[in-house]
Amino acid sequence: MFLTQEIIRKKRDGFALSDAEINFFVRGMTDDSIGEGQVAAFAMAVFFKDMSMDERVALTLAMRDSGQVLDWRSLDLPGPVLDKHSTGGVGDVVSLLLGPLIAACGGFVPMISGRGLGHTGGTLDKFDAIPGYCTAPGNDLLRRVVKQVGVAIIGQTAQLAPADKRLYAIRDVTATVESVALITASILSKKLAAGLDALVMDVKVGSGAFMPTLAKSRELASSIVAVGNGAGMRTAAILTDMNESLAPCAGNALEVRCAIDYLLGRGPHPRPARLHQVTLALCAEMLLQGGLAASEGEARGKLMAALDSGQAAERFARMVAALGGPFDLLEQPDRHLAAAPIVMAAPALQAGFVNRCDCRALGLAVIGLGGGRRRAGDGIDFAVGLSDLVSLGRQVCAGQPLALVHARTNAAALVAVAEIQAAHAIGAIAVPANPVIYGALPPDLKKAGAH
């Protein structure tokens, strides 16, 4: 028997907690025998005193075991169960591409995704833009779709890692969200509960990322890789740039259209360079972690074959239909995806090179248009957003569009135009471009595999 307050005191004073103490505390969070004030005190103690890697592993496993843990062994799947998770950004449409691509290459992807958080777009919100698509299927339907199609992109159920759901809600209102130890346990407890063989993390860097600096992004990536491997799941992390929108658009229906064009290879710019580079890097790492390719070159060859043959697009179409969406979404997207009544250009105020973008401000502009939530219960206008976003380093003339605003009203469009203009810095001389991929960290842990 442990005393809750003594566990809090021990962590407050900077001592390491035992596995038994952590398990006791997580059980108390799950069954509500530990009060909200004590959970908040624990979170604050961890925020200031941190946790060792062994403590982080114990916390992650305890939160995983607080609810249902999916087991895919009974399905006799002929390939590994894989997933990726992103720390969030603007125009990040990768999940819509990656799941079908991995399925077409022999993997199975039960991707449990989230809704928009802060300035970032949410994968589930994008799928909600597809009429009829069910983001909360029952367990039987989820298993059937994963087995038959190879990919199902859905939301977290109440049965998966319920301790994390409670802890996160308290962290959100007690200024303890940014703890790397608690972020690590939060992400990995849900991914471990999904029964994965391997996970690849996409840790964002830049003005549109949650982590404020490259150093903090590296710290988070290292923590997730070490704890994921320590918990028995092959885990890798790639640091990618979020100093500008990943896709040249942001907004739910607009991003679904972008994903369809990418998978089908159609349109004037079907596979935008930055989006393509990040997608292939993450997918290739997943194939390597899952044993579906022996080298990065082999992995990229398989991925391009899946794209060029139409197999990845076919998996996406089958997933949408199997989860209640329209059968002809890829053939007739305009019939099913909402379009805004007003499209207005945001002109550059001067000539020069686009040298900087406040990517977070672009995400907030989408929210201002109605494409995200100001409060938890808000509805979303799936039609609104930004398209044709100018890339960093581009030379523009005065009056040339920095983006097109898709809005419900003229007034909302004019506000977004001003926000887009303020978010871009234009100079007379071009500055060096940011890397799209900063690297995989740490390479020694990344290659360690499961223990």
Side-chain angles (χ1 to χ4, degrees):
M1 174 62 70
F2 299 100
L3 287 176
T4 302
Q5 59 266 40
E6 289 304 308
I7 293 175
I8 297 169
R9 181 193 301 275
K10 187 175 178 181
K11 178 45 62 182
R12 181 202 70 186
D13 293 343
F15 294 103
L17 300 176
S18 68
D19 290 5
E21 288 169 324
I22 290 170
N23 287 332
F24 172 84
F25 199 93
V26 171
R27 282 197 302 271
M29 286 197 298
T30 307
D31 64 18
D32 290 335
S33 61
I34 292 178
E36 186 171 310
Q38 291 177 311
V39 176
F42 174 80
M44 192 63 75
V46 172
F47 182 88
F48 282 112
K49 298 298 183 179
D50 206 358
M51 281 183 149
S52 68
M53 288 301 172
D54 286 343
E55 287 178 286
R56 295 180 192 187
V57 170
L59 179 61
T60 299
L61 291 174
M63 293 206 301
R64 176 200 68 182
D65 295 336
S66 67
Q68 179 185 22
V69 179
L70 300 179
D71 188 347
W72 302 98
R73 288 173 295 183
S74 63
L75 295 183
D76 292 323
L77 299 175
V81 180
L82 309 171
D83 199 2
K84 80 92 181 161
H85 182 80
S86 168
T87 55
V90 177
D92 186 356
V93 72
V94 169
S95 291
L96 283 69
L97 315 173
L98 175 146
L101 270 166
I102 295 300
C105 292
F108 293 83
V109 187
M111 185 179 289
I112 297 170
S113 299
R115 303 199 179 278
L117 181 64
H119 66 281
T120 67
T123 296
L124 289 190
D125 297 327
K126 304 184 210 311
F127 279 103
D128 280 341
I130 302 172
Y133 189 98
C134 177
T135 56
N139 193 44
D140 288 344
L141 177 57
L142 168 63
R143 291 168 67 84
R144 185 163 66 250
V145 174
V146 169
K147 182 171 185 177
Q148 294 176 355
V149 181
V151 55
I153 303 177
I154 64 164
Q156 182 184 2
T157 70
Q159 291 75 40
L160 291 177
D164 170 67
K165 188 174 183 180
R166 186 174 184 220
L167 178 58
Y168 186 87
I170 292 171
R171 287 168 56 213
D172 193 34
V173 296
T174 57
T176 53
V177 169
E178 294 86 353
S179 162
V180 169
L182 296 180
I183 292 172
T184 299
S186 178
I187 290 171
L188 291 178
S189 62
K190 293 189 286 284
K191 293 302 181 182
L192 285 160
L196 304 179
D197 293 317
L199 171 71
V200 174
M201 278 295 305
D202 180 7
V203 181
K204 300 297 187 185
V205 178
S207 64
F210 272 113
M211 303 308 283
T213 64
L214 176 58
K216 290 297 287 185
S217 295
R218 288 182 189 275
E219 180 187 352
L220 177 59
S222 296
S223 176
I224 289 172
V225 169
V227 173
N229 283 299
M233 176 175 62
R234 292 191 299 279
T235 307
I238 296 177
L239 293 162
T240 67
D241 184 65
M242 190 43 70
N243 282 298
E244 58 181 305
S245 177
L246 185 56
C249 60
N252 298 291
L254 291 166
E255 290 184 54
V256 175
R257 283 189 176 89
C258 175
I260 291 171
D261 286 346
Y262 180 101
L263 290 168
L264 293 175
R266 71 184 182 195
H269 304 288
R271 291 176 186 149
R274 295 178 72 252
L275 176 62
H276 190 51
Q277 189 173 343
V278 170
T279 299
L280 286 188
L282 292 166
C283 286
E285 188 64 47
M286 288 176 73
L287 296 185
L288 290 170
Q289 291 291 323
L292 294 171
S295 68
E296 184 170 351
E298 180 188 348
R300 288 176 178 266
K302 286 187 173 184
L303 292 165
M304 289 308 301
L307 275 176
D308 294 340
S309 67
Q311 291 180 48
E314 185 253 351
R315 297 280 180 157
F316 183 86
R318 286 172 58 196
M319 177 186 71
V320 168
L323 289 168
F327 287 84
D328 59 347
L329 178 65
L330 270 64
E331 292 76 20
Q332 301 192 65
D334 292 341
R335 177 182 172 189
H336 301 290
L337 298 173
I342 293 166
V343 179
M344 183 182 295
L349 297 177
Q350 65 189 74
F353 295 91
V354 181
N355 286 334
R356 186 183 61 80
C357 172
D358 182 349
C359 190
R360 182 175 183 272
L362 296 183
L364 293 175
V366 174
I367 294 173
L369 289 165
R373 298 175 185 83
R374 298 174 188 270
R375 295 175 299 274
D378 286 353
I380 285 182
D381 186 340
F382 299 117
V384 302
L386 313 174
S387 72
D388 298 84
L389 286 159
V390 68
S391 57
L392 289 182
R394 176 89 174 271
Q395 187 173 13
V396 295
C397 302
Q400 184 175 338
L402 297 170
L404 297 180
V405 176
H406 298 248
R408 190 63 59 182
T409 67
N410 263 307
L414 288 169
V415 171
V417 165
E419 291 172 335
I420 292 165
Q421 290 169 332
H424 290 84
I426 299 174
I429 302 173
V431 301
N434 296 306
V436 178
I437 295 174
Y438 292 83
L441 294 172
D444 55 327
L445 284 172
K446 189 191 77 170
K447 296 174 182 176
H451 298 307

